Amino acid sequence: MKRVGILTSGGDCQGLNAAIRAVAKALYEALGDDVEIYGIKNGYGGLIYGDYQKMKKNNFSGILTIGGTILGTSRQPFKQMRVIDEKNGIDKVKAMKENYKKMGLDCLVVLGGNGTHKSANMLSQEGLNVVSLPKTIDNDIYGTEMTFGFQSACDIATEVIDCIHSTATSHRRVFIVEVMGHKVGWLNLHAGIAGGADVILIPEIPYDVEKVAEVITRREAQGKGFTIIAAAEGAISKEEAAMKKKEFKAHRASLGYPSVAYKLADDLREQTHYEIRVAVPGHFQRGGSPCAYDRVLCTRLGAAAAKLILEENYGNMVAVQSGMIVPVPLSVVAGKLKTVPVDGELVRSARDIGISFGD
Amino acid sequence: MKRVGILTSGGDCQGLNAAIRAVAKALYEALGDDVEIYGIKNGYGGLIYGDYQKMKKNNFSGILTIGGTILGTSRQPFKQMRVIDEKNGIDKVKAMKENYKKMGLDCLVVLGGNGTHKSANMLSQEGLNVVSLPKTIDNDIYGTEMTFGFQSACDIATEVIDCIHSTATSHRRVFIVEVMGHKVGWLNLHAGIAGGADVILIPEIPYDVEKVAEVITRREAQGKGFTIIAAAEGAISKEEAAMKKKEFKAHRASLGYPSVAYKLADDLREQTHYEIRVAVPGHFQRGGSPCAYDRVLCTRLGAAAAKLILEENYGNMVAVQSGMIVPVPLSVVAGKLKTVPVDGELVRSARDIGISFGD
Amino acid sequence: MKRVGILTSGGDCQGLNAAIRAVAKALYEALGDDVEIYGIKNGYGGLIYGDYQKMKKNNFSGILTIGGTILGTSRQPFKQMRVIDEKNGIDKVKAMKENYKKMGLDCLVVLGGNGTHKSANMLSQEGLNVVSLPKTIDNDIYGTEMTFGFQSACDIATEVIDCIHSTATSHRRVFIVEVMGHKVGWLNLHAGIAGGADVILIPEIPYDVEKVAEVITRREAQGKGFTIIAAAEGAISKEEAAMKKKEFKAHRASLGYPSVAYKLADDLREQTHYEIRVAVPGHFQRGGSPCAYDRVLCTRLGAAAAKLILEENYGNMVAVQSGMIVPVPLSVVAGKLKTVPVDGELVRSARDIGISFGD
Amino acid sequence: MKRVGILTSGGDCQGLNAAIRAVAKALYEALGDDVEIYGIKNGYGGLIYGDYQKMKKNNFSGILTIGGTILGTSRQPFKQMRVIDEKNGIDKVKAMKENYKKMGLDCLVVLGGNGTHKSANMLSQEGLNVVSLPKTIDNDIYGTEMTFGFQSACDIATEVIDCIHSTATSHRRVFIVEVMGHKVGWLNLHAGIAGGADVILIPEIPYDVEKVAEVITRREAQGKGFTIIAAAEGAISKEEAAMKKKEFKAHRASLGYPSVAYKLADDLREQTHYEIRVAVPGHFQRGGSPCAYDRVLCTRLGAAAAKLILEENYGNMVAVQSGMIVPVPLSVVAGKLKTVPVDGELVRSARDIGISFGD
């Protein structure tokens, strides 16, 4: 009898249920009645506070296309994992190990992003058998070319830019679409290219507002009355990039803008005479049914994770490398961030067709 | 030989090209080479400043599904129509009449919303032959049950709420989706119902933030960890509704929020312990391909407008009444607003299934 | 205590769950714990064979957007309702009345199409309290301007034509898209107009294959290399329309085509030198999430049905008339078909913009 | 001055315009007024018969999202390239070389699939400078991991299966969805996995109809009333696979089915008592706007093609290998087919989660 616990942690994204389903189906297919799967609720929280339940086979039916996660999720910052929960008198790491034992688990399957993988690695080092899957719309997990959720979010962000494109062509206006991505620009870079944005602003390439304004003016001179700017949530000006982190946070807070698009809009209003409109699709980008690409990816990753469990090959994240599914040690993944290479082929391709990065 | 000018005015929406196409196809079909169609650029601006061109038959091919308007559009506030353009030394109304004559028009076809219809009525009273079509995502034009663009915008706003719904179920959070609609709540009411929002805030029903907070708390008590609030751009609190317009504007400006959703989020943060997320899809809602419903409506309205021209039955807007396409005199339409009846069947249906309007 | 049974019958369509949800939510909202809802499985079959269960409040949560029906459905031809089920020794009508009593129902809510309404009327005449909702992608239920499911199916059929349009423009080809609708042409008429079809063939207007070929030839002469034909499943040639029903069926069977589009393709191949391609999207048109329009309609109809139950106003279908929700006696609805008026405004609008009906 | 000709050949797919745009934009961006681009109409046909035109810069604007190809396309079988067109007295290869010279081209850019690449390689060997891009919904071009069009077609085929899934769950039925792919099963394999099909039939794995019927029966025994079969156009039974090609063709022709799905339906009707429904979305799968993934891929491939032209590195196809864009010699690509590895990771993943291939 194999006992497997499964949890989803961190911000949710499309494909979580598709991946959960693939892990479960592959385990049931291989082991039949010789496997028990425990659904751990709301991320590491459920493992800490003992909120879990034995799943039935049909819990995993009909969930392939459903957004969100049937297990619930929560953010449990890695930094606080070692901090005692004074209120409930709980040593979190100890509690997780105890609940792991209480369930009699052979393995814990973790679906999560960067923060999640730090904790997953820690649990692995603490002696738990862990297998993880790379989940995030940000595509910023080290060790894998692709994370699930990313392509689905990209479809949505692109649809937003598309629709705004059609309205933009009818008016003389500048539109700023704020695409998710605080630390990395993958999503905005892909969606900006796919949506035909004129300017793409990503955290990895600090922008100069005058350069952005120049694009608007140049397009006007070419008889193009509108400009579309795709700005990542984490887009940052050159001045801001030169600040220390603390200083930068204070600076942004002092301005009082709810997010970067509104700040950029005001900055551009000072530079041009154009009407500027802002769209902030927000969590829209994380929700809904996963796209076909993600469902195939989730199925492959889920089947690969099940295979690692069957082989008792623990301590790994299943990853995409050169298009193939491979295991990567959690210790290699944890604590690193996969950012957009500023001189990489994708940024260069974008520049080659005339897209500005505002630099 | 019949000469027909056509222009689109005001904020753009889905279906403008579909409607233009239907007018043109129906005229060509009925009159063959005995009709000339002039495309007037960028709304009334093109009529004032003489920016127009004779269209070819194939200009109207392949545009059924295209968002925006092939003629361009602009906002020309009705209040300033009688104001002389000092810079260019132009009496706008006079100029429009002169350009109408210069083109030798038998009729001017105008596609627009509320402001547009005031000007259309004025031009009709000034002696021009005018036929108009009701265009707006707001569905607020008096004299017609439905305007084109509305249903397409509703599809988009609903999709946003849908996706956020799936992410909301995975977290314990409150989401505010700001749906277009400054003066009327039709779009938000329909999208809110369609998206399964828990709270719908519309300009016609001022809200009480404590009542909204109560919904969140009640849902929590029922074991539902999330709440979705669909707020129209023009949603307004009871306190604000009691203010004079000037006072209200000053109040809102003093708060510095870019739009109502951010204000509501802060107000709710004071009342509850929930994390609150905001999505502002903005002009995304006006763009892209019209939905099937709107394309059929545009075709019917366009064919009806062409018929009015053939019958020389001018001074009318083509409208939907009891599901049928009928002409309504511009004088009846102009200057009125079709708001959501606060005790109407739609609001009652929403209340009947447990949706709160925050009142 | 009120006890309400609910069943869905006939071919499924989008919006069934949205309508079920609205009925249930409105009943719970009005009656709280003073209502019990029984879910009857697989249409009238569940009522006949006693397959039903008491529903819980949360069974109706999260189903607004889900395609299909949580209750299951089946076809129980009206003609066989009075026929004894010899195999199981069951008098169906008697059994339905007995199970109605066994559940202690105050009312039976029926969601269905034309066949379903014949049986609903019969049950009403047999003394059961019945309230019904008009469900079908065909929009052919007498007494209501609109049925739910129709607009969602129309969106899908239009999307198919749209995509084929874009591929058609690149090749010199004729495309036939077979749209659902055996007896009436509403769906194909709307989707054909919305998708910009060149020819629309519906059961109400028998076609002449030479007239269809003429359209192809004329378009070629105009430099348009492709033609798109939207053919309803029930499209019929003039020769076939002149046959008796039995004769017609034998004729079609003798040809061996799986459906009309393939027959038409071969007939056109004899008339033109064009390559002809066929698409038969089939049940794709009935599935998936209901569109925003249908969700609002389902909510209104469901709330209205609940109101009839609260008022004990039985024996009615909730219907749309002049845009308003009204009750219509089942006796008025049953046994009639709402076909496309061949000289109505919609067909005329289509003809006005140059669409051929092949007649 | 650089002169570049560009043509699209073979069956169309999504992303052709996006790729054309990227090539053009990258050339204009690098060379400004020092480049002339010739649009060659309707594939190799335009090159043979001298149907081309000098493009303007703005011909490439606004086409990113448009389905089909602005250049038109046609099928020019490779086998007939060397055959003299007797009717017009034209030696095709000679004519292509002459028109290439007449335009004064430095390079010919070819977007096409397998057949197209045979001709592209031949023209390269004949001394023309050729750069090609891999276009096909089939993803069967040798030398590249991915072709553009594939992912967009996969989205559509998946959407069809999704919708049928929701209707299937409401009825006890078997649904067969026929997905494009005559020679290879990539599209059906991906769409089948993404859509949650129970059985996937691809040309590479001949099926046994009794094995397919067993899946239906087994699912029934498990209480699952429906089964979804995704069948590639080129799906083939074991008996048929054993036939010689000529014999097979005669066999299929003798049966008279318009396509494989109808044959399979009849075969299964003999094996089971289930109602069976068929959907054949057909060219729907090739049309419409490219998905975000394809647009990014087209942009990358287009920019890479332009770079090859700037570097005068001719005789290559731009390809994806290990996720990177690389040139592959046409001689390596031509005449080979990339089929689904029957023991590859993707097929195994599908089997691992319980999908049957009917073998």
Side-chain angles (χ1 to χ4, degrees):
Chain A
M1 173 63 66
K2 210 142 210 150
R3 286 190 188 81
V4 177
I6 185 160
L7 65 82
T8 53
S9 171
D12 77 322
C13 74
Q14 301 95 337
L16 282 166
N17 288 327
I20 291 169
R21 166 186 179 266
V23 175
K25 287 212 162 194
L27 288 173
Y28 287 127
E29 199 67 23
L31 299 174
D33 292 338
D34 286 335
V35 65
E36 284 179 2
I37 301 180
Y38 288 81
I40 298 162
K41 292 301 182 70
N42 302 317
Y44 290 116
L47 191 57
I48 296 169
Y49 300 103
D51 187 6
Y52 50 78
Q53 65 177 93
K54 203 176 132 185
M55 307 291 281
K56 288 176 204 155
K57 211 167 169 178
N58 69 5
N59 292 143
F60 303 103
S61 281
I63 64 170
L64 171 62
T65 65
I66 308 293
T69 159
I70 56 167
L71 300 174
T73 183
S74 66
R75 292 193 191 268
Q76 296 282 344
F78 175 67
K79 283 185 188 171
Q80 289 172 24
M81 278 295 188
R82 295 283 185 192
V83 178
I84 303 300
D85 173 353
E86 300 288 358
K87 197 175 142 201
N88 299 296
I90 284 182
D91 177 327
K92 293 176 197 161
V93 176
K94 203 175 142 198
M96 287 193 280
K97 290 164 76 172
E98 282 172 2
N99 280 315
Y100 181 94
K101 262 187 211 158
K102 207 181 284 176
M103 284 181 270
L105 297 186
D106 295 287
C107 176
L108 176 69
V109 178
V110 171
L111 294 81
N114 273 311
T116 300
H117 274 88
K118 287 186 208 166
S119 300
N121 184 44
M122 182 263 284
L123 290 175
S124 177
Q125 287 169 344
E126 290 281 340
L128 306 194
N129 296 327
V130 180
V131 167
S132 76
L133 291 89
K135 161 244 76 159
T136 163
I137 64 165
D138 290 327
N139 192 26
D140 61 354
I141 298 179
Y142 188 85
T144 185
E145 287 161 19
M146 186 53 64
T147 61
F148 65 83
F150 173 74
Q151 202 61 51
S152 301
C154 188
D155 279 355
I156 293 178
T158 301
E159 185 198 350
V160 174
I161 303 178
D162 271 1
C163 281
I164 284 176
H165 225 123
S166 86
T167 188
T169 59
S170 307
H171 293 276
R172 286 168 54 93
R173 277 183 184 162
V174 173
F175 288 89
I176 303 171
V177 181
E178 187 176 291
V179 175
M180 280 195 155
H182 276 294
K183 293 186 183 163
V184 303
W186 288 109
L187 182 59
N188 191 44
L189 177 55
H190 278 250
I193 291 173
D198 305 298
V199 180
I200 293 176
L201 305 179
I202 58 175
E204 291 89 342
I205 306 177
Y207 66 85
D208 180 337
V209 73
E210 292 182 15
K211 289 281 169 64
V212 179
E214 273 173 35
V215 176
I216 299 169
T217 314
R218 192 187 337 127
R219 286 180 56 84
E220 186 173 24
Q222 293 166 349
K224 291 171 183 166
F226 67 96
T227 298
I228 292 182
I229 301 167
E233 285 174 316
I236 189 170
S237 71
K238 292 193 172 176
E239 294 75 32
E240 292 173 324
M243 295 176 185
K244 284 172 196 157
K245 199 172 173 186
K246 208 171 158 184
E247 194 187 354
F248 165 66
K249 281 197 170 175
H251 163 71
R252 277 284 175 92
S254 74
L255 295 171
Y257 293 108
S259 65
V260 71
Y262 295 102
K263 174 184 182 297
L264 180 61
D266 268 3
D267 289 348
L268 285 171
R269 280 183 193 113
E270 284 183 21
Q271 303 267 344
T272 75
H273 60 285
Y274 265 68
E275 273 193 72
I276 298 172
R277 293 284 186 276
V278 169
V280 183
H283 279 63
F284 173 35
Q285 295 161 82
R286 311 181 87 88
S289 190
C291 67
Y293 178 97
D294 271 335
R295 296 191 207 167
V296 173
L297 180 58
C298 288
T299 302
R300 294 170 68 197
L301 290 170
K307 211 176 157 208
L308 290 184
I309 295 169
L310 295 172
E311 295 167 351
E312 304 189 354
N313 185 356
Y314 302 123
N316 288 299
M317 177 181 82
V318 286
V320 185
Q321 287 187 359
S322 298
M324 287 175 298
I325 307 294
V326 296
V328 178
L330 288 170
S331 57
V332 170
V333 173
K336 303 200 193 78
L337 199 66
K338 185 182 68 177
T339 56
V340 174
V342 299
D343 286 322
E345 180 252 349
L346 194 55
V347 169
R348 271 186 290 112
S349 291
R351 292 192 195 271
D352 283 351
I353 65 161
I355 294 172
S356 165
F357 286 82
D359 62 341
Chain B
M1 173 61 68
K2 212 143 208 148
R3 285 188 189 81
V4 176
I6 187 160
L7 65 81
T8 53
S9 172
D12 78 323
C13 72
Q14 302 95 336
L16 282 166
N17 289 327
I20 291 168
R21 168 187 179 265
V23 174
K25 286 213 161 192
L27 289 173
Y28 287 127
E29 198 68 22
L31 300 173
D33 293 338
D34 286 334
V35 64
E36 284 178 5
I37 300 179
Y38 288 82
I40 299 161
K41 293 301 183 69
N42 301 320
Y44 290 116
L47 192 57
I48 296 168
Y49 301 103
D51 187 6
Y52 50 79
Q53 64 177 92
K54 204 176 130 182
M55 306 292 278
K56 289 175 204 157
K57 212 167 167 176
N58 68 7
N59 292 143
F60 302 103
S61 282
I63 63 170
L64 171 62
T65 64
I66 308 293
T69 158
I70 57 167
L71 300 173
T73 182
S74 67
R75 294 193 191 265
Q76 294 283 342
F78 175 67
K79 283 185 186 168
Q80 288 172 24
M81 277 295 188
R82 297 284 186 187
V83 178
I84 304 301
D85 172 355
E86 300 288 358
K87 196 175 143 201
N88 299 295
I90 282 181
D91 177 328
K92 293 174 197 163
V93 176
K94 205 174 141 196
M96 287 194 281
K97 290 163 75 172
E98 282 172 3
N99 279 316
Y100 182 93
K101 262 187 209 157
K102 209 181 279 175
M103 284 182 268
L105 297 186
D106 293 287
C107 176
L108 177 69
V109 178
V110 172
L111 293 81
N114 274 311
T116 300
H117 274 89
K118 287 185 206 166
S119 299
N121 184 44
M122 182 263 284
L123 289 176
S124 177
Q125 287 168 345
E126 290 280 339
L128 305 194
N129 296 327
V130 180
V131 167
S132 76
L133 291 90
K135 163 242 75 159
T136 164
I137 63 165
D138 291 326
N139 192 27
D140 61 355
I141 298 180
Y142 188 85
T144 186
E145 288 162 17
M146 187 50 65
T147 61
F148 65 84
F150 173 74
Q151 201 62 50
S152 301
C154 188
D155 279 354
I156 294 178
T158 300
E159 184 198 350
V160 174
I161 303 178
D162 271 2
C163 281
I164 283 176
H165 224 122
S166 86
T167 188
T169 58
S170 307
H171 292 277
R172 287 167 52 96
R173 275 181 186 165
V174 173
F175 287 90
I176 303 172
V177 181
E178 186 176 293
V179 175
M180 280 196 156
H182 276 294
K183 293 185 183 165
V184 303
W186 289 110
L187 183 59
N188 191 44
L189 177 54
H190 278 250
I193 291 173
D198 305 300
V199 180
I200 294 176
L201 305 180
I202 59 174
E204 291 89 343
I205 305 177
Y207 67 85
D208 180 337
V209 74
E210 292 182 17
K211 289 280 170 63
V212 178
E214 271 173 35
V215 176
I216 299 169
T217 314
R218 193 188 334 129
R219 286 179 58 81
E220 188 174 20
Q222 293 166 349
K224 292 171 182 167
F226 67 96
T227 299
I228 293 183
I229 300 167
E233 285 175 317
I236 188 169
S237 71
K238 291 193 174 175
E239 294 75 34
E240 291 173 325
M243 294 177 186
K244 284 174 195 156
K245 197 172 174 186
K246 211 172 156 181
E247 196 187 350
F248 166 66
K249 283 196 169 176
H251 164 71
R252 278 283 175 92
S254 74
L255 297 171
Y257 293 109
S259 66
V260 71
Y262 296 102
K263 175 185 179 297
L264 180 61
D266 269 3
D267 289 348
L268 285 172
R269 279 182 194 113
E270 285 183 21
Q271 304 268 342
T272 74
H273 60 283
Y274 265 69
E275 272 192 75
I276 297 173
R277 292 286 186 274
V278 170
V280 184
H283 278 64
F284 173 36
Q285 295 162 81
R286 313 181 83 89
S289 191
C291 68
Y293 179 97
D294 271 337
R295 296 191 208 168
V296 173
L297 180 59
C298 288
T299 301
R300 293 171 69 196
L301 291 170
K307 210 175 159 209
L308 291 184
I309 296 168
L310 296 172
E311 295 168 350
E312 304 189 354
N313 184 356
Y314 302 123
N316 289 298
M317 177 180 82
V318 286
V320 185
Q321 288 187 358
S322 297
M324 287 175 297
I325 307 294
V326 296
V328 178
L330 288 171
S331 57
V332 170
V333 173
K336 303 197 193 80
L337 200 65
K338 185 182 69 178
T339 55
V340 174
V342 299
D343 286 321
E345 178 254 348
L346 194 55
V347 170
R348 270 186 291 113
S349 293
R351 292 193 195 271
D352 283 351
I353 65 161
I355 295 172
S356 165
F357 287 81
D359 61 340
Chain C
M1 173 63 65
K2 214 147 207 143
R3 285 190 188 80
V4 177
I6 187 160
L7 65 81
T8 54
S9 171
D12 78 321
C13 73
Q14 302 94 339
L16 282 167
N17 289 326
I20 291 168
R21 167 186 180 266
V23 174
K25 286 212 162 193
L27 288 174
Y28 287 127
E29 198 68 23
L31 300 173
D33 292 338
D34 287 334
V35 64
E36 285 178 3
I37 300 179
Y38 287 80
I40 298 161
K41 292 302 183 69
N42 302 318
Y44 290 116
L47 191 56
I48 296 169
Y49 301 102
D51 188 6
Y52 50 80
Q53 64 177 94
K54 204 176 131 185
M55 307 290 280
K56 289 176 201 153
K57 211 167 169 177
N58 69 6
N59 292 143
F60 302 104
S61 282
I63 64 170
L64 170 62
T65 65
I66 307 294
T69 158
I70 56 167
L71 300 174
T73 182
S74 66
R75 292 193 192 267
Q76 294 284 342
F78 175 65
K79 283 184 187 170
Q80 289 171 24
M81 278 296 189
R82 295 284 185 189
V83 179
I84 303 300
D85 173 353
E86 300 288 358
K87 195 177 144 200
N88 299 295
I90 283 182
D91 176 328
K92 293 176 198 160
V93 176
K94 203 175 141 198
M96 286 193 281
K97 290 163 76 173
E98 281 172 2
N99 279 315
Y100 181 93
K101 262 187 212 156
K102 207 180 284 176
M103 284 182 269
L105 296 187
D106 294 287
C107 176
L108 177 69
V109 179
V110 171
L111 294 81
N114 273 311
T116 300
H117 274 88
K118 287 185 208 166
S119 300
N121 184 44
M122 181 263 283
L123 290 176
S124 176
Q125 287 169 346
E126 290 281 339
L128 305 194
N129 296 327
V130 180
V131 167
S132 76
L133 292 90
K135 161 243 76 158
T136 163
I137 64 165
D138 291 326
N139 192 27
D140 60 355
I141 298 180
Y142 188 85
T144 185
E145 288 161 19
M146 186 53 64
T147 61
F148 66 82
F150 173 75
Q151 201 61 52
S152 301
C154 188
D155 279 355
I156 293 178
T158 300
E159 185 198 350
V160 174
I161 304 178
D162 271 2
C163 281
I164 284 176
H165 224 123
S166 86
T167 188
T169 58
S170 307
H171 293 276
R172 286 168 53 95
R173 277 182 185 164
V174 173
F175 288 90
I176 303 172
V177 181
E178 187 176 291
V179 175
M180 280 196 155
H182 276 293
K183 294 186 183 163
V184 303
W186 289 110
L187 182 59
N188 191 44
L189 177 55
H190 278 249
I193 292 173
D198 304 300
V199 180
I200 293 176
L201 305 180
I202 59 175
E204 292 89 342
I205 306 178
Y207 67 85
D208 180 338
V209 73
E210 292 183 16
K211 289 281 169 63
V212 179
E214 272 174 36
V215 175
I216 299 170
T217 314
R218 193 187 334 127
R219 285 179 57 82
E220 186 174 22
Q222 293 166 349
K224 290 170 183 166
F226 68 96
T227 299
I228 292 182
I229 300 168
E233 284 175 316
I236 188 169
S237 72
K238 290 193 174 177
E239 293 75 33
E240 293 173 323
M243 295 176 185
K244 283 172 196 156
K245 199 172 172 186
K246 210 172 157 183
E247 194 186 353
F248 166 67
K249 281 197 171 176
H251 164 71
R252 277 283 176 92
S254 74
L255 296 171
Y257 293 109
S259 65
V260 71
Y262 295 102
K263 174 184 182 297
L264 180 61
D266 268 4
D267 289 348
L268 285 172
R269 281 184 193 113
E270 284 183 21
Q271 303 268 344
T272 74
H273 60 285
Y274 266 69
E275 274 193 73
I276 298 174
R277 293 284 187 274
V278 169
V280 184
H283 278 62
F284 173 36
Q285 295 162 81
R286 311 181 86 90
S289 190
C291 67
Y293 178 96
D294 272 335
R295 295 192 208 166
V296 172
L297 179 58
C298 288
T299 302
R300 293 171 69 196
L301 290 170
K307 211 176 157 207
L308 290 183
I309 295 168
L310 296 173
E311 295 168 351
E312 304 189 353
N313 185 355
Y314 301 124
N316 288 299
M317 177 181 81
V318 286
V320 184
Q321 288 188 358
S322 296
M324 287 175 298
I325 306 295
V326 296
V328 179
L330 287 170
S331 58
V332 170
V333 173
K336 303 198 193 80
L337 200 66
K338 185 182 69 179
T339 55
V340 174
V342 298
D343 286 323
E345 180 252 350
L346 194 56
V347 169
R348 272 187 289 112
S349 292
R351 292 193 196 271
D352 284 350
I353 65 161
I355 294 172
S356 166
F357 287 81
D359 60 342
Chain D
M1 172 63 67
K2 211 142 208 149
R3 284 189 189 78
V4 176
I6 186 160
L7 66 81
T8 54
S9 173
D12 77 322
C13 73
Q14 301 94 338
L16 282 166
N17 288 327
I20 292 168
R21 167 185 179 266
V23 175
K25 286 213 163 193
L27 289 173
Y28 287 128
E29 199 69 22
L31 300 173
D33 293 338
D34 286 334
V35 64
E36 283 178 5
I37 301 179
Y38 287 81
I40 298 161
K41 292 301 183 70
N42 301 320
Y44 289 117
L47 191 58
I48 295 168
Y49 300 103
D51 187 6
Y52 50 78
Q53 64 177 92
K54 203 176 129 183
M55 306 292 280
K56 288 175 203 156
K57 211 169 168 175
N58 68 6
N59 292 142
F60 302 103
S61 282
I63 63 170
L64 170 62
T65 65
I66 308 293
T69 157
I70 57 168
L71 300 173
T73 183
S74 66
R75 293 193 191 265
Q76 294 284 341
F78 175 65
K79 284 185 186 170
Q80 288 172 24
M81 278 296 189
R82 296 283 186 189
V83 178
I84 303 300
D85 172 354
E86 299 288 358
K87 196 175 144 201
N88 299 295
I90 284 182
D91 176 328
K92 292 174 198 163
V93 176
K94 203 175 143 199
M96 287 194 280
K97 290 164 74 173
E98 282 172 2
N99 279 315
Y100 182 93
K101 262 186 209 157
K102 209 180 281 174
M103 285 182 268
L105 296 186
D106 294 285
C107 176
L108 176 69
V109 178
V110 172
L111 294 81
N114 273 312
T116 300
H117 274 88
K118 289 185 206 164
S119 299
N121 184 43
M122 181 263 284
L123 289 176
S124 177
Q125 287 168 345
E126 289 281 339
L128 305 194
N129 296 327
V130 180
V131 167
S132 75
L133 292 88
K135 162 242 77 158
T136 164
I137 63 164
D138 291 327
N139 192 27
D140 61 354
I141 298 179
Y142 188 85
T144 185
E145 288 162 16
M146 187 50 66
T147 61
F148 65 83
F150 173 75
Q151 202 61 51
S152 301
C154 188
D155 279 354
I156 293 178
T158 301
E159 184 197 350
V160 174
I161 304 177
D162 271 1
C163 281
I164 284 176
H165 224 123
S166 86
T167 188
T169 57
S170 307
H171 293 277
R172 285 168 53 95
R173 276 182 186 164
V174 173
F175 287 89
I176 303 172
V177 181
E178 186 176 292
V179 174
M180 280 195 154
H182 277 293
K183 295 185 183 165
V184 303
W186 289 110
L187 183 58
N188 191 44
L189 177 54
H190 278 251
I193 292 173
D198 305 300
V199 180
I200 294 176
L201 306 180
I202 59 175
E204 291 88 343
I205 306 178
Y207 67 84
D208 180 338
V209 73
E210 292 182 17
K211 289 281 170 63
V212 179
E214 272 173 36
V215 176
I216 299 170
T217 314
R218 192 188 335 129
R219 285 179 58 82
E220 187 174 20
Q222 293 166 348
K224 291 171 182 168
F226 68 95
T227 299
I228 292 182
I229 301 167
E233 285 175 316
I236 188 168
S237 71
K238 291 193 173 177
E239 294 75 33
E240 292 173 325
M243 294 177 187
K244 284 174 196 155
K245 198 173 174 185
K246 211 173 155 182
E247 195 187 353
F248 167 66
K249 282 195 172 177
H251 164 70
R252 277 284 174 91
S254 75
L255 296 172
Y257 293 110
S259 65
V260 72
Y262 295 102
K263 175 185 179 298
L264 180 61
D266 268 3
D267 290 347
L268 284 172
R269 279 184 195 113
E270 285 183 22
Q271 304 268 344
T272 75
H273 60 284
Y274 266 68
E275 273 193 74
I276 298 173
R277 293 284 186 275
V278 169
V280 184
H283 278 63
F284 173 37
Q285 294 161 82
R286 311 181 85 88
S289 190
C291 67
Y293 178 97
D294 271 335
R295 297 191 208 168
V296 172
L297 179 59
C298 288
T299 301
R300 294 170 69 196
L301 290 170
K307 211 175 158 209
L308 291 184
I309 296 168
L310 296 172
E311 294 168 351
E312 303 189 355
N313 185 356
Y314 302 123
N316 288 298
M317 177 181 82
V318 286
V320 185
Q321 287 187 0
S322 297
M324 287 175 296
I325 307 294
V326 297
V328 179
L330 288 170
S331 58
V332 169
V333 174
K336 303 198 192 79
L337 199 66
K338 185 183 67 178
T339 56
V340 174
V342 300
D343 286 322
E345 178 252 349
L346 195 54
V347 169
R348 271 188 289 113
S349 292
R351 292 192 196 271
D352 284 350
I353 65 161
I355 294 173
S356 165
F357 287 81
D359 61 341

